[in-house]
Amino acid sequence: MATIRDVARLAEVSVSTVSLALSNPGRVSPKTLERIRDAVAAVGYVADPLAQSLARGRSRMIGFVVGNVGNPFFGDIRRELENYALEHDHFVLITDSSGKLDRERALVEHLAGLKVAGLVLAPSGHGRDYVDFVHGLKIPTVCFDQKVPGIERDFVGSDNYLAGAMLTEHLLQLGHRRIAFIAGPHHMHTASERLRGFTDTMASAGVEVRPNLVVDGQFTRSAGYEAAMRLLIQPERPTAILGANNAVALAALQAMQELGFNCPDDISLAMIDDVQWSNVITPRITMVVQDTLKLGGIIARRVLHRIMSPEGAADPPQDFVLTPRFVPGASCRRI
Amino acid sequence: MATIRDVARLAEVSVSTVSLALSNPGRVSPKTLERIRDAVAAVGYVADPLAQSLARGRSRMIGFVVGNVGNPFFGDIRRELENYALEHDHFVLITDSSGKLDRERALVEHLAGLKVAGLVLAPSGHGRDYVDFVHGLKIPTVCFDQKVPGIERDFVGSDNYLAGAMLTEHLLQLGHRRIAFIAGPHHMHTASERLRGFTDTMASAGVEVRPNLVVDGQFTRSAGYEAAMRLLIQPERPTAILGANNAVALAALQAMQELGFNCPDDISLAMIDDVQWSNVITPRITMVVQDTLKLGGIIARRVLHRIMSPEGAADPPQDFVLTPRFVPGASCRRI
DNA sequence: GGTAGCCATCGAACCGGTTCGATAGTTCAG
DNA sequence: CTGAACTATCGAACCGGTTCGATGGCTACC
């Protein structure tokens, strides 16, 4: 592997001139520049990113930290970020915290050690400690999905209150009154907002929400399955189930199928967020989806803006909240 | 951030002794070792991974390169690798080539520049150039999923011939004769092996394979959908469709649903590889699945073995081929 | 008692770049 | 013709570690 000294020797200039020529071509005489460029081509020189990062104190990499890279929601955003970053000569390091707080922390610290230029983070923590931790990072950071109160960082996400409200309203208009809600972890902003959208809308319609029809599904498949089972074995079963995310809703569908209930004839179902193969799932689930491509685009532009422009770095943190979209399916019946 | 010189100053030893003490505690006197350890704790010293990698010429990171990190097959393997790597103090860098050859190459080169200790690669290329490229990497590498002929590297994968043969045999035993096959890219080893398993088994049973019933689905959803459509609009429709992977098979299911065909009453369907929500897809698809956890375990152990032990580095390349498992569903009817 | 051998520690060079103050050489105004 | 201002280039220090040959003190053997 050729080093910068090989280039310098061949071009008969000093090492510092080569470095200058490559990072700031305008400040070197045309003649010298040409000699250096020829030499670079001749020895096939490529700067060592490690050495560059060490010397500069920062790399051209962007850390991407989410709870589950397999989730298509994160996948779309990742793809947008990767493409945009690549156009601007940056490289995305993907990491997966499995939703575990300590793992996330270790990952972020590792990325900070790698001196990443920026960080795109779907937070899985909350509370004072966590806020302090994120705040202590001297790295341009864009948070998304989970809005963590107190974190003074850019945030990009969807209107989760509205998402919960839209589906609730839809079910109410179809005549449902006994609507169950499978919630996510209460400390997660998305989860609490979606729940709030549900309860508020029910209240506005003057419909009582029975406490035993609001169950916790932890946003996971297994907990969602158990929660759904608890709902389905009640004597007064709900006529509709609203899943706060894709995992709990599909777990509920599975539970229904296993117990012999037909959806939507026996029980209606609606969910927030799509899954990859939703259009071969029978029935097509009625849902509210986020505009992942747009979210990804905003995230990408925002983080690279902060990284690359001096005024961008100084920009005060800003929130970007998108309106989710209602996608009708065949899983909700009029009663 | 504290540096090694801060530690040296506080412990009143030289920098080189600190370095020695941390990397090889046995070669430093107990007294000195203790002073150094106290100093490390006092200043909160953590070695800069970048500087270490630069000096050592290699990092403690493992590059993971696949075509689609959203695919649960890769997800399971990634998780196994991450856990095992973490236990051995290594860190996995995930990258996604989107199945594009040039992108994969750029990623691998970037990882090489980062001086990764090892590489876990699901190749998406083939041919002389590609083999030379991979061969030129002076990095412990484990390839998986795609067996590329000529690459002298460890390989971990499943018996794809058998996978194709098992499902074909199953359909034959149910009485099917007009069986269609939606294939993958012919240059991919998994695709060609699965197809070979199909044609061989058909031939052994003395059943003719009509050329127009073998279509190319490129292993993608969109191409699979088109291929399925071509099959379904033929006057002599197949009685069963065998999808060479999950994407083309589910795309076929979608096409059937859209054209009003019932599965399995009108047409049976079987596929190779699972998807995340397969058990809420109606009908439950009959399939052959790979033991992803085991594959991931083998991959993880193999690459870390090569990285960490001197004899491991010298081991000749080896192939590990696992037997896939038949998972009956409700998508294949006796005729 | 002299010296061979070992052990703990150190200094210096190195990994491959960046950065900044210093130094010539050139241009231009007075 | 002098000196200020600017330009092109360079040397040295630095980023934060690792590595290896050198050094000096100590034990042990003859």
Side-chain angles (χ1 to χ4, degrees), chain A residues 142-155:
Chain A
V142 173
C143 294
F144 74 103
D145 195 35
Q146 292 301 327
K147 169 84 185 165
V148 180
I151 287 196
E152 287 166 28
R153 299 290 188 174
D154 287 325
F155 170 75

Side-chain angles (χ1 to χ4, degrees), chain B residues 261-278:
Chain B
F261 293 116
N262 181 284
C263 175
D265 289 345
D266 300 322
I267 301 167
S268 294
L269 180 67
M271 71 180 180
I272 296 174
D273 280 355
D274 201 354
V275 292
Q276 203 150 18
W277 291 99
S278 57

Side-chain angles (χ1 to χ4, degrees), chain B residues 316-332:
Chain B
Q318 205 172 324
D319 281 12
F320 301 84
V321 177
L322 269 53
T323 301
R325 188 164 52 91
F326 179 75
V327 180
S331 65
C332 297

Side-chain angles (χ1 to χ4, degrees), chain A residues 45 48 78 84 91 102 107 118 136 158 202 245 256 275 326:
Chain A
Y45 169 72
D48 182 329
R78 176 184 56 71
Y84 191 79
F91 182 85
D102 53 343
L107 290 175
S158 296
M202 292 289 272
N245 79 344
M256 288 197 243
V275 293
F326 179 75

